[in-house]
């Protein structure tokens, strides 16, 4: 399986973006310069939800 190794913009950890995923396409087309690993991505989503209910 094809994948890119990307540095997470939040935690600076390396993570893999696999072929066929939305992020892989974004990476290939360079539509987004900020990439976050799954962990940071869900953390940010959780924070957004928490803020929403505050
Ligand atoms: Zn991260």
């Amino acid at each position: 399986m094809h994948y890119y190794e990307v540095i997470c913009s939040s935690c600076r950890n390396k993570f893999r973006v696999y072929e066929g995923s939305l992020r892989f396409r974004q990476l290939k087309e360079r539509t987004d310069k900020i990439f976050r690993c799954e962990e940071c991505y869900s953390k940010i989503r959780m924070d957004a939800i928490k803020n929403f209910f505050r």
Side-chain angles (χ1 to χ4, degrees), residues 3-48:
Y3 63 85
Y4 284 124
E5 277 206 324
V6 190
I7 308 285
C8 172
S9 303
S10 290
C11 65
R12 299 279 155 199
N13 281 328
K14 257 192 205 168
F15 69 101
R16 287 173 184 181
V17 175
Y18 288 96
E19 189 171 21
S21 69
L22 176 68
R23 268 184 241 170
F24 187 90
R25 218 161 57 214
Q26 287 174 331
L27 194 66
K28 237 178 142 183
E29 292 166 5
R30 306 274 168 201
T31 54
D32 206 341
K33 288 224 160 62
I34 294 165
F35 285 98
R36 289 189 179 95
C37 68
E38 213 55 59
E39 215 174 296
C40 291
Y41 188 74
S42 59
K43 214 162 78 183
I44 283 157
R45 260 182 52 146
M46 284 289 280
D47 284 348

